Amino acid sequence: MSKQQNKYKGYLGPEDVTGIGQYFGLARPFNLDDKITRYTLLSTVLAFCAEACWKLTQNVPVYDACLAGISVGFSLLLSFMLGMELDPDRKIGGIIGGILATGWAFWQGEPNFIVMLLLIFVLRMLNRSSGDKHKLFDNVLMLLCAWWLGQDGGWLYPMMLAAAYIIESQLHNGAFYSLYLAAFALGALWFSNGITKEPALLSMHYIIILAASIILFLPMLRMSLLVETKGDRSIRRLDGQRLRASNLFFIVSIFFITFFQGNAQGQNLAPAIFTAAGVGIYLVYDLGRKRKN
């Protein structure tokens, strides 16, 4: 098999139509022929409009209202995308999480959607759902997100990314250069606001939703080994061990970041926490429905 015909060539099968696959190994397309995806994109626009209009009724400036709308809209869309990484065989769980996250944002405030973007790319790197390894611009994006969040007080995000790189290098067909990238991720701590040793304030409602979401998500760790979805480029069934490792890493990450960094990161991680709950809820429902049939 020649280099031009290897399994990683192309973005949607054997031909790279857009050329993006040369630079982004973790980029995944939206299937606009899928009804659920179309409804999710429409809901994203509606969530943006609803949040922006709500802010305008509170005499918030137009620019700030639009930014709030973008954060809420992206939290719904990214919850859907995150759900597909946590449970590639089912899409509804991400939508449930997105709806819950949108309602939470109206009540508690808008999250920083860069957190969700980083989580999605980290999980794609670990589970190889795109069917390819992480490439130059994937790593640049993840390192920039970790650096930005570190600057904003989230010093655990560069550490989380470094741990993800180390784990990826040790998984089946892991990339050895991930170890070098882990060093770059740890280097981002130098530019952060510093590691806070003081105990963080964590409200009871964050403790409750975090605990409930983790419990609901636990069955997915078992089902990860039975995944049937194929990678976008490789057209091969996803590695169940990789998917389980990425899901376990996700649960541990959201727990430790919320526990050690308190309410500030609890708010930013709320879409991820609710997505874990949505995935768990729909998984149990789907398994129960299939058992009856």
Side-chain angles (χ1 to χ4, degrees):
M1 182 177 288
S2 66
K3 245 183 179 180
Q4 287 74 21
Q5 295 175 332
N6 65 52
K7 65 179 181 179
Y8 293 126
K9 184 184 176 186
Y11 188 64
L12 288 174
E15 183 181 359
D16 189 350
V17 178
T18 63
I20 195 173
Q22 299 178 16
Y23 310 103
F24 284 94
L26 304 181
R28 301 187 67 189
F30 280 112
N31 181 13
L32 297 180
D33 293 330
D34 179 60
K35 186 185 298 184
I36 296 176
T37 302
R38 293 201 304 270
Y39 286 157
T40 302
L41 293 174
L42 176 61
S43 300
T44 298
V45 176
L46 293 176
F48 161 76
C49 295
E51 176 68 11
C53 292
W54 171 252
K55 290 295 183 181
L56 289 173
T57 60
Q58 297 179 320
N59 297 322
V60 174
V62 175
Y63 177 77
D64 293 334
C66 289
L67 285 181
I70 290 172
S71 294
V72 172
F74 267 113
S75 70
L76 193 154
L77 178 62
L78 294 176
S79 293
F80 171 69
M81 295 169 64
L82 181 63
M84 289 195 297
E85 303 306 323
L86 297 174
D87 186 1
D89 289 345
R90 304 164 187 83
K91 294 183 177 180
I92 304 298
I95 295 177
I96 296 173
I99 293 172
L100 294 173
T102 301
W104 185 267
F106 276 106
W107 178 39
Q108 288 290 324
E110 305 81 30
N112 186 345
F113 63 85
I114 295 178
V115 171
M116 288 287 284
L117 186 64
L118 176 60
L119 283 173
I120 289 170
F121 271 77
V122 166
L123 293 184
R124 287 179 182 178
M125 175 180 66
L126 293 174
N127 64 26
R128 298 272 176 90
S129 59
S130 67
D132 204 348
K133 297 180 180 180
H134 48 299
K135 296 183 178 178
L136 174 62
F137 286 101
D138 301 307
N139 296 311
V140 169
L141 177 63
M142 288 188 287
L143 289 168
L144 283 176
C145 287
W147 167 78
W148 180 271
L149 293 170
Q151 289 272 62
D152 199 38
W155 54 269
L156 272 173
Y157 291 103
M159 296 181 68
M160 178 198 75
L161 180 58
Y165 276 129
I166 294 172
I167 293 171
E168 198 283 327
S169 70
Q170 302 304 308
L171 292 172
H172 180 62
N173 289 331
F176 182 76
Y177 58 80
S178 295
L179 293 174
Y180 297 103
L181 292 166
F184 281 104
L186 288 175
L189 281 173
W190 181 267
F191 303 99
S192 68
N193 286 338
I195 297 175
T196 304
K197 297 182 179 179
E198 298 178 1
L201 176 63
L202 185 61
S203 300
M204 182 57 67
H205 52 256
Y206 285 117
I207 297 175
I208 293 172
I209 64 169
L210 181 61
S213 296
I214 291 175
I215 293 171
L216 289 169
F217 187 76
L218 286 178
M220 189 60 224
L221 296 178
R222 167 69 176 172
M223 294 301 298
S224 299
L225 298 176
L226 307 177
V227 62
E228 295 293 336
T229 301
K230 297 179 180 179
D232 296 336
R233 297 175 181 80
S234 64
I235 318 299
R236 292 185 176 182
R237 183 172 171 268
L238 297 182
D239 187 336
Q241 294 290 351
R242 273 188 166 271
L243 181 59
R244 172 182 275 186
S246 68
N247 284 344
L248 182 59
F249 177 82
F250 167 76
I251 286 296
V252 172
S253 296
I254 63 173
F255 171 78
F256 275 99
I257 294 174
T258 305
F259 184 80
F260 283 104
Q261 297 220 258
N263 293 337
Q265 296 308 320
Q267 179 177 336
N268 290 331
L269 283 170
I273 295 172
F274 283 117
T275 301
V279 166
I281 291 170
Y282 187 74
L283 173 64
V284 173
Y285 166 77
D286 187 55
L287 293 177
R289 183 186 61 179
K290 290 179 178 178
R291 187 174 182 180
K292 287 182 180 179
N293 295 335

